[in-house]
Amino acid sequence: MLLSGSEAYRPPVPTGFQESRSALQERRLRLLLAGRSGTGKSATGNSILQRKHFLSRLAATAVTRACATGSCRWASWDVEVLDTPDLFSPEVSQADPGFEERGRCYLLSAPGPHAVLLVTQLGRFTSQDVRAWQGVKVLFGAGIAARTVVVFTRREDLEGGSLQQYVRDTDNRALRELVAECGGRCCAFDNRVADGEQEAQVRELMGLVEELVRDHGGAPYTNDVYRLAQTLGGLSPEERLRRVAEQLAARPPTWPRAGLWWWPKPPPGIRYKLGLAALLGSLFMLYLLCRRWPEAVTA
């Protein structure tokens, strides 16, 4: 069961700056919340912790402005949850030009997350969610898909139906492809339910996370930035952040050009019709120009 308050809290052991041990040895899980703003990341983090720890409220603009962590005890695991601000949209280059907040995200989750929880709203998966998922892969690498669980908020909208059937039957091709890319791992949360139902939701999620941990031999996700973070234990926090931010800034830009965000291609039949419509439109415009040309010469 989840414990809260003083029973749940254990002073976190500094991570990322000591010799890494597998999660199976240290019984510690690091979960990183990701996704676009407004999907309920912070509320989902509070559900996992089973207490109000992260700031969460309905607002027109993003509520979470900086990375924050919370801890709890689940079964035999010490669980660390990292909540994130908007680090995954194309606008992050303006909001975080020096890579400081993205660097803090790395340092707070070092030596690496055991699972990324990609949070999206049930029935509201849009192009913004697609861009946020692209942003997750830009920040952590394409390999992060193998460590990702898709968490749908607003579970109550299923009205007792099956989440698996919803994903299978949806006409949102981008959503189906996302869940498939993440190995089919998904679950749903209603972040307003009572404690008993909340614990059942967390149990389902933790079952998926524990399966991920077993599949990867207990090792967390890692990449070049996490490996760098592990070598910086003797430096000051400011210097560690500076070095990690520099490493992130030195990466070649991988965002698609503005206006060309990835979106699933339409089926071949639709592509053919769109191409034919464009060709006919061009021929019609050419016809109109040819008709007006003699008039222009006569005048």
Side-chain angles (χ1 to χ4, degrees):
M1 60 178 292
L2 273 172
L3 301 177
S4 59
S6 59
E7 292 181 60
Y9 179 76
R10 292 189 175 190
V13 177
T15 56
F17 316 120
Q18 58 183 337
E19 184 177 353
S20 177
R21 297 177 298 168
S22 75
L24 295 176
Q25 293 172 319
E26 63 175 344
R27 306 303 296 179
R28 184 177 299 276
L29 292 178
R30 285 175 294 276
L31 309 180
L32 190 151
L33 294 161
R36 67 174 173 87
S37 296
T39 56
K41 295 196 300 290
S42 300
T44 300
N46 289 335
S47 293
I48 296 170
L49 299 174
Q50 205 166 329
R51 65 181 188 274
K52 291 185 178 180
H53 180 80
F54 302 119
L55 180 61
S56 174
R57 66 173 185 269
L58 183 64
T61 58
V63 173
T64 303
R65 301 293 183 180
C67 293
T69 60
S71 302
C72 71
R73 181 79 174 171
W74 172 265
S76 60
W77 297 101
D78 289 318
V79 180
E80 296 177 356
V81 181
L82 174 62
D83 191 16
T84 58
D86 184 17
L87 300 180
F88 312 108
S89 72
E91 291 75 22
V92 70
S93 57
Q94 287 80 44
D96 185 35
F99 290 85
E100 287 87 358
E101 197 58 37
R102 281 168 284 184
R104 289 187 70 246
C105 178
Y106 263 95
L107 291 174
L108 288 171
S109 59
H114 296 94
V116 168
L117 310 182
L118 183 69
V119 182
T120 184
Q121 286 186 332
L122 192 73
R124 294 167 176 82
F125 188 82
T126 69
S127 59
Q128 289 181 310
D129 293 277
V130 174
R131 290 195 285 264
W133 174 232
Q134 290 294 96
V136 171
K137 293 188 285 187
V138 166
L139 184 57
F140 296 109
I144 199 66
R147 303 299 188 102
T148 299
V149 177
V150 181
V151 179
F152 293 89
T153 56
R154 301 188 62 88
R155 178 177 184 160
E156 61 273 21
D157 290 350
L158 284 172
E159 298 180 341
S162 164
L163 176 63
Q164 287 69 28
Q165 183 176 351
Y166 168 80
V167 173
R168 184 175 61 250
D169 295 345
T170 181
D171 57 1
N172 191 326
R173 182 184 175 194
L175 176 58
R176 295 198 310 270
E177 292 187 349
L178 166 67
V179 174
E181 187 178 1
C182 296
R185 292 178 296 274
C186 63
C187 63
F189 269 44
D190 177 353
N191 289 315
R192 296 177 292 182
V193 295
D195 291 347
E197 294 179 73
Q198 194 174 78
E199 187 171 341
Q201 293 178 160
V202 177
R203 186 181 302 113
E204 180 184 2
L205 169 64
M206 293 303 295
L208 295 172
V209 172
E210 288 179 321
E211 185 177 343
L212 272 179
V213 171
R214 287 192 299 269
D215 289 346
H216 293 89
Y221 177 77
T222 191
N223 60 20
D224 59 324
V225 182
Y226 280 122
R227 286 189 287 270
L228 170 65
Q230 289 185 259
T231 69
L232 305 177
L235 304 179
S236 68
E238 294 78 13
E239 181 62 16
R240 291 197 293 266
L241 179 56
R242 187 187 69 80
R243 295 279 296 275
V244 169
E246 284 183 351
Q247 177 87 346
L248 290 169
R251 285 174 162 184
T254 51
W255 276 108
R257 289 178 294 175
L260 296 179
W261 303 114
W262 174 87
W263 189 255
K265 293 180 180 179
I270 300 297
R271 291 203 299 269
Y272 170 77
K273 292 178 182 178
L274 290 173
L276 181 60
L279 176 61
L280 291 176
S282 300
L283 291 174
F284 182 68
M285 290 298 296
L286 182 61
Y287 167 74
L288 291 178
L289 288 173
C290 291
R291 284 194 61 185
R292 292 185 60 85
W293 178 253
E295 299 175 7
V297 172
T298 303

